[in-house]
Amino acid sequence: MPLDLEQIEAGLTTRKVGRSIIHEMVCDSTMNIARSEAQDGASHGTVVLAEEQTSGRGRFGRSWTSPPETNLYLTLIVRPPLERLRSLTMIAPLAVCQAAEDVVNLNARIKWPNDVLVGERKLAGILVETEVSGQDVRFALIGIGLNVNLDVDRAPEIAQIATSLMRESGRRVSREETLAALLNRLEELYESPAAAIVEAWRSRLETLGRHVKLSLGDNVYEGVAEDVDDVGSLVLRRPDGSTMTFEAGEVSLRDPGGA
Ligand code: ATP
């Protein structure tokens, strides 16, 4: 069944986030619809929601598996000040973790910068896109794909790497309740001080202390993920003892031995 918007609204405690929802049965990607809505003046907090995506996408053009009426695929349109932009990458995975805890008492963790994992499996993917001209942020788009009732065995391409709220909790989970919890958390975090966001996000990071590989373009850097700085960049301690800092958004992170 498609999402029941009234039920979602009944669960919202927000002022702006989710107060306007554009609900598509099927679309290529909620990011594309949100971009054109934002260009046409959609207000801060507008959410584009789809039951199914035919070209759901992740970072670097990777595809996001988006079967119908099973999961949540949404893009939130925000209009933040410039100094708020960096925190968007942290707010989204954190809100997903908190919502998963609210709804099924799940302890999800974040793989730097913004994959949401349970154990080694991916529960949600996040994509943040921004449109900035000079010092002026025209808008930012926070895309979230959250596996709610996905039966991973029915999606062979991700069967070994994905999980869902249903898989973790052992029961079907209300998509409406999950979405309301997510939107409530998103607004709460969006309005929190930047330092509090970094701290909460940092404490959910499963990456710290791990031996990792970072690919940046054609280069690969290996070392221990030592820390994150106050804007969320990753500090890598290299085998020669030196450190390098990587901005979220520019690199892909792999455990050694991985692809
Ligand atoms: P990674 O390092 O895991 O590739 P990433 O941030 O680059 O992380 P994303 O862009 O967020 O990845 O997501 C795309 C990847 O996620 C795909 O390449 C695929 O492996 C995986 N994936 C696609 N659809 C789903 C899904 N519904 N649930 C879990 N994982 C998925």
Side-chain angles (χ1 to χ4, degrees):
M1 272 215 309
L3 285 157
D4 176 343
L5 294 198
E6 278 178 20
Q7 205 184 321
I8 296 164
E9 202 185 335
L12 287 181
T13 55
T14 56
R15 285 184 307 118
K16 299 214 169 120
V17 170
R19 292 299 172 180
S20 165
I21 293 183
I22 298 165
H23 185 199
E24 302 285 334
M25 286 304 127
V26 55
C27 67
D28 52 357
S29 157
T30 58
M31 294 303 271
N32 297 346
I33 295 187
R35 176 170 296 275
S36 82
E37 292 288 339
Q39 280 162 348
D40 289 349
S43 60
H44 171 90
T46 300
V47 170
V48 177
L49 196 58
E51 298 293 338
E52 178 182 4
Q53 297 184 112
T54 51
S55 314
R57 62 177 198 267
R59 301 194 309 150
F60 311 112
R62 293 176 182 141
S63 75
W64 189 258
T65 300
S66 311
E69 298 181 11
T70 310
N71 300 320
L72 292 171
Y73 318 113
L74 62 135
T75 298
L76 168 64
I77 300 170
V78 288
R79 299 189 181 272
L82 193 61
E83 66 275 11
R84 219 47 206 166
L85 272 190
R86 301 291 285 270
S87 65
L88 300 183
T89 317
M90 298 176 239
I91 285 172
L94 199 48
V96 170
C97 289
Q98 293 176 342
E101 200 158 302
D102 294 341
V103 177
V104 293
N105 204 18
L106 183 65
N107 180 24
R109 309 281 297 163
I110 301 169
K111 178 179 131 189
W112 182 88
N114 60 14
D115 274 349
V116 181
L117 304 182
V118 182
E120 297 293 310
R121 288 173 175 264
K122 190 135 107 176
L123 178 69
I126 314 282
L127 185 62
V128 176
E129 293 179 355
T130 55
E131 192 133 320
V132 180
S133 90
Q135 293 294 302
D136 183 36
V137 181
R138 298 197 47 232
F139 57 82
L141 306 175
I142 303 176
I144 301 176
L146 169 58
N147 297 331
V148 180
N149 290 316
L150 179 75
D151 177 353
V152 298
D153 295 329
R154 291 178 165 219
E157 72 282 12
I158 52 168
Q160 304 304 318
I161 57 163
T163 191
S164 64
L165 295 179
M166 181 175 81
R167 185 176 186 276
E168 297 300 328
S169 65
R171 63 172 172 89
R172 281 191 78 74
V173 176
S174 159
R175 290 193 300 150
E176 287 84 357
E177 191 190 338
T178 306
L179 180 60
L182 179 60
L183 297 177
N184 291 339
R185 290 299 194 170
L186 280 166
E187 184 167 284
E188 195 175 284
L189 286 165
Y190 188 85
E191 290 176 356
S192 301
I197 295 169
V198 178
E199 222 18 71
W201 172 76
R202 189 180 185 284
S203 70
R204 289 264 185 186
L205 281 178
E206 55 106 51
T207 310
L208 297 184
R210 283 212 185 181
H211 189 197
V212 295
K213 271 186 192 173
L214 291 164
S215 31
L216 174 57
D218 289 339
N219 297 319
V220 176
Y221 302 92
E222 202 164 338
V224 174
E226 191 166 83
D227 204 355
V228 283
D229 66 14
D230 55 6
V231 293
S233 296
L234 187 73
V235 180
L236 184 75
R237 174 75 60 184
R238 305 184 69 200
D240 66 3
S242 64
T243 57
M244 280 181 81
T245 303
F246 295 86
E247 263 188 50
E250 60 178 11
V251 294
S252 227
L253 189 143
R254 299 266 174 265
D255 282 331

